[in-house]
Amino acid sequence: MSSSPAFTRAEPDARRQSLIEACARVLARSGAAGTSVRAIALEAGVSSGLVGHYFAGIDALVAASYTHVEAQVGAALNQALATAAADPRAQLDAYVTASFTPPVASGELLATWIAFWSLVRAQPAIARQHDEQYARFRSRLEALLAACGIAPATLRHTAIAVTALVDGLWLELSLSPGAFSAAEASAIARAQLDALISTSRSAC
Amino acid sequence: MSSSPAFTRAEPDARRQSLIEACARVLARSGAAGTSVRAIALEAGVSSGLVGHYFAGIDALVAASYTHVEAQVGAALNQALATAAADPRAQLDAYVTASFTPPVASGELLATWIAFWSLVRAQPAIARQHDEQYARFRSRLEALLAACGIAPATLRHTAIAVTALVDGLWLELSLSPGAFSAAEASAIARAQLDALISTSRSAC
DNA sequence: ACACTTGTTATACGATCGTCCAACAAGCAA
DNA sequence: TTGCTTGTTGGACGATCGTATAACAAGTGT
């Protein structure tokens, strides 16, 4: 009689990816405090020693998870833009609404993001990663706003304002879901966009 | 010859307060991950065992620090309001500007706040504390906005929007100080207030 | 069938965590 | 001065942390 294999050998890239995804799930479920090498390995269904085989340390794994979650959010926003109508204002609305819809707005993603924020001050590499992510997010928004007729002179400040508004609504929506609903957040953000676009001259 | 005392006995309330303040300092300096009973005791200049004498556990101490930091922020905002001119719009401006000025806007306070956020999901008591804090903040803002002539029907949404805008600006200002300056954040927020107040009818 | 590479496991190690507790001493009352 | 209350200390305890490493086994080429 043949016994089943004690373990299965995985393609290195696939195994690495599964560890990253397991790390993201643990971060979402337990927060930064509960994210340990052993918890991640258990979540991924491997032994704890394997983590050291693929990553220099748990910090490197967390940084890789940061990149992965960023990519997931970016993909969700991209899909929202692709699905929406082509005119600039509809694109902007889709961008904002997607920010308040799962999977972007969710308690799990919030926990992951907070875990990253908690590392920003201590780890320069994480700080640099955040700066780049924020710059990308804002630059993308600037393009959408420019297409809506926002004057170039005020483009930077407008993008900062909208980003802050969306982030603030997203944060509070995720932190205390009882305070207001996702639909309210979306309506509030759209109303602000209306005001910004109409006062900045030129229709959309 | 008389040797100096091995330790000094403190008034219970004073000792308790010094532990809370030491906890807040450690949270600010090292984040939630680096905040241990021993680190707090070292910061306060007492032995680690004393923490258990004043608090049921480190979670209770962190919750007490949350309350303390909340009170500090509230006091800073109160002082800003008291110093500013009495007319409603000046009050609103002072409220917003104070949010982007130390000690409210600072890397230390951000680290403390993130540490609390990271506990919101895991600890219902912390979540309740956050909900109450957010409700107080928003209710106060509603009063200021009402005095500026915002229509009662849109008061709630306007307060949510302004709170989100201020929080988002504050967060990003503290997370990556290089992206924009405190003066810019203040100018952006005031411009948004201008737009909100002018479109909602009635001058201020 | 055999050797070889290497993904994988299991364990050990020192450090640090939160909590607990017996002993000590500071300050006050008698 | 003496005794008592209790704030305070310092260390012990078990659990868990991140990391390192020897032994094992799966898969591949020969």
Side-chain angles (χ1 to χ4, degrees):
Chain A
M1 61 184 262
S2 68
S3 61
S4 63
F7 59 87
T8 59
R9 219 183 178 91
E11 193 75 14
D13 286 345
R15 182 71 85 187
R16 190 184 162 87
Q17 194 63 24
S18 80
L19 283 173
I20 288 175
E21 290 169 6
C23 177
R25 284 196 301 273
V26 174
L27 276 172
R29 187 199 316 133
S30 312
T35 299
S36 64
V37 169
R38 287 170 178 83
I40 295 169
L42 181 65
E43 173 73 26
V46 299
S47 74
S48 62
L50 197 58
V51 173
H53 196 270
Y54 283 101
F55 297 92
I58 194 175
D59 292 341
L61 175 51
V62 169
S65 297
Y66 194 178
T67 303
H68 178 250
V69 172
E70 276 178 0
Q72 274 190 319
V73 171
L77 294 180
N78 274 338
Q79 191 185 350
L81 290 186
T83 307
D87 77 282
R89 184 52 210 271
Q91 290 277 300
L92 207 48
D93 277 2
Y95 195 68
V96 165
T97 302
S99 298
F100 305 125
T101 310
V104 177
S106 74
E108 294 83 30
L109 190 59
L110 170 74
T112 310
W113 223 256
I114 288 178
F116 292 136
W117 287 343
S118 71
L119 303 176
V120 165
R121 300 200 76 219
Q123 303 192 22
I126 297 283
R128 196 168 343 106
Q129 225 169 321
H130 168 79
D131 287 349
E132 292 167 4
Q133 147 79 9
Y134 178 74
R136 269 196 303 274
F137 193 93
R138 206 183 61 200
S139 149
R140 192 179 203 170
L141 197 52
E142 282 185 9
L144 291 178
L145 289 169
C148 280
I150 299 288
T154 63
L155 201 55
R156 172 181 152 81
H157 277 190
T158 304
I160 292 176
V162 174
T163 301
L165 179 68
V166 170
D167 284 356
L169 287 172
W170 171 83
L171 176 65
E172 195 54 39
L173 184 63
S174 307
L175 266 181
S176 31
F180 53 87
S181 68
E184 280 185 300
S186 195
I188 290 170
R190 277 198 301 265
Q192 291 288 312
L193 286 175
D194 282 335
L196 280 170
I197 290 172
S198 67
T199 61
S200 175
R201 296 283 334 85
S202 161
C204 183
Chain B
M1 61 186 265
S2 68
S3 62
S4 63
F7 59 88
T8 58
R9 220 182 178 93
E11 194 74 15
D13 286 345
R15 181 72 85 186
R16 189 183 163 88
Q17 194 62 23
S18 80
L19 283 174
I20 288 175
E21 291 169 5
C23 177
R25 284 195 301 273
V26 173
L27 277 172
R29 186 198 317 132
S30 312
T35 301
S36 64
V37 170
R38 288 170 177 83
I40 295 169
L42 181 65
E43 174 72 26
V46 299
S47 74
S48 62
L50 196 59
V51 173
H53 196 267
Y54 284 100
F55 297 91
I58 194 175
D59 292 340
L61 175 50
V62 170
S65 296
Y66 194 178
T67 304
H68 178 250
V69 171
E70 275 177 2
Q72 275 190 318
V73 171
L77 293 179
N78 273 338
Q79 191 185 350
L81 291 186
T83 307
D87 77 283
R89 184 52 211 270
Q91 289 278 299
L92 208 47
D93 277 3
Y95 195 67
V96 166
T97 301
S99 298
F100 304 125
T101 310
V104 176
S106 73
E108 294 82 32
L109 190 59
L110 169 75
T112 311
W113 223 256
I114 287 178
F116 292 138
W117 287 343
S118 71
L119 303 176
V120 165
R121 301 200 76 219
Q123 303 192 22
I126 297 282
R128 195 168 345 105
Q129 223 169 322
H130 169 79
D131 287 349
E132 292 168 3
Q133 146 80 10
Y134 178 74
R136 267 196 304 274
F137 193 93
R138 206 182 62 199
S139 149
R140 193 180 203 170
L141 198 51
E142 281 185 12
L144 290 179
L145 288 169
C148 280
I150 298 290
T154 62
L155 201 55
R156 172 180 150 83
H157 277 189
T158 304
I160 292 176
V162 174
T163 302
L165 179 68
V166 170
D167 284 355
L169 287 171
W170 172 83
L171 177 65
E172 195 55 39
L173 184 63
S174 306
L175 266 181
S176 32
F180 52 87
S181 69
E184 280 184 299
S186 195
I188 290 170
R190 277 199 300 264
Q192 292 288 312
L193 286 175
D194 283 335
L196 280 170
I197 290 172
S198 66
T199 62
S200 175
R201 298 275 341 80
S202 163
C204 183

